[in-house]
Amino acid sequence: LLQYRLLRRRGLHEEGFSDSLLSEKIFFYFPDSEIYAFFCKKPEEGKPIEVRVGNEWKILERVPSIRIDSTSKYLQDYMFSPLGLQNEPFDIDFYPSPKADPAKKITLMQDSVGMKDFFVREIQGEWMKIQECIDYGPLYAEDAIVDEEGWEKISKLSEKNPIYWIRWRKGDKILTPQTEFYFKYGC
């Protein structure tokens, strides 16, 4: 997975890649910070990078603002926070294991505050292993900001919480909207 900052300033915006077009065709797009995340083929030393935009592969030259991570590593920098009304079931299906029998589906409810969060623990193809996060409100209040060290502490304290699997994509279609992820270290 490739994360590309300041793409607009590199001239691609003028060549027809408008924000509204990209936001539907790439993995993540954060207009406020001008960050774009694309799926890419495993890069080869000295060769341009091939990125997926919609159903097409495009060539992107290497520049310092490009960072390439595995999908799993990239997503583990984010919290999964599914949208849902307070005390109502989520629209997403949770399972005890990847590729589980649909009859074993687990229905989870949004909490009374409407802020249930999950750590992304692992990616296995189209499946994402997530673990329910503790209520970190009291820790957050102590520090006023949760930095990387704080998230490590919260992650460790969450290790006893339930683990679930969700299907986060189906082929090229992302099933978990970008709006349900937020970057941990920027909170």
Side-chain angles (χ1 to χ4, degrees):
L1 195 71
L2 173 138
Q3 183 174 333
Y4 193 30
R5 294 179 185 266
L6 306 176
L7 183 61
R8 203 178 329 196
R9 294 188 185 147
R10 301 270 181 226
L12 288 181
H13 183 70
E14 292 79 26
E15 295 175 18
F17 287 91
S18 74
D19 297 343
S20 61
L21 289 174
L22 275 182
S23 66
E24 296 298 318
K25 294 187 173 194
I26 65 174
F27 184 48
F28 274 147
Y29 165 59
F30 299 102
D32 294 344
S33 54
E34 295 184 327
I35 295 174
Y36 299 76
F38 301 87
F39 286 111
C40 70
K41 292 183 179 178
K42 188 172 183 175
E44 295 181 37
E45 190 65 39
K47 293 189 177 182
I49 302 166
E50 292 183 71
V51 297
R52 188 157 186 101
V53 181
N55 293 325
E56 297 179 43
W57 288 98
K58 305 282 186 181
I59 301 296
L60 191 63
E61 294 298 325
R62 292 179 183 268
V63 293
S65 59
I66 290 177
R67 188 178 94 200
I68 299 175
D69 288 321
S70 69
T71 304
S72 184
K73 182 179 182 315
Y74 180 83
L75 286 172
Q76 288 175 8
D77 283 344
Y78 290 83
M79 294 296 288
F80 176 61
S81 185
L83 302 175
L85 299 174
Q86 294 177 356
N87 302 315
E88 294 290 326
F90 289 113
D91 289 339
I92 193 162
D93 296 334
F94 295 83
Y95 295 93
S97 63
K99 303 177 188 174
D101 177 353
K104 294 184 179 180
K105 179 176 86 169
I106 301 165
T107 301
L108 290 183
M109 308 282 277
Q110 181 61 278
D111 62 20
S112 60
V113 182
M115 299 282 296
K116 191 170 280 200
D117 296 321
F118 298 86
F119 283 95
V120 176
R121 298 298 192 194
E122 184 180 339
I123 301 292
Q124 286 185 13
E126 296 183 345
W127 292 86
M128 178 184 294
K129 180 180 180 181
I130 59 174
Q131 186 167 35
E132 195 169 327
C133 181
I134 63 165
D135 174 8
Y136 56 87
L139 293 172
Y140 184 77
E142 286 175 20
D143 298 335
I145 188 165
V146 180
D147 59 8
E148 190 170 352
E149 185 178 305
W151 277 112
E152 291 303 318
K153 180 178 179 181
I154 292 167
S155 176
K156 188 81 172 146
L157 291 170
S158 298
E159 287 179 353
K160 294 180 182 169
N161 284 354
I163 290 175
Y164 306 99
W165 288 85
I166 60 170
R167 190 166 190 183
W168 71 282
R169 69 180 184 142
K170 185 174 185 176
D172 292 337
K173 181 174 172 54
I174 305 298
L175 303 175
T176 50
Q178 170 181 321
T179 53
E180 296 187 350
F181 289 89
Y182 65 90
F183 189 63
K184 291 187 292 197
Y185 309 124
C187 298

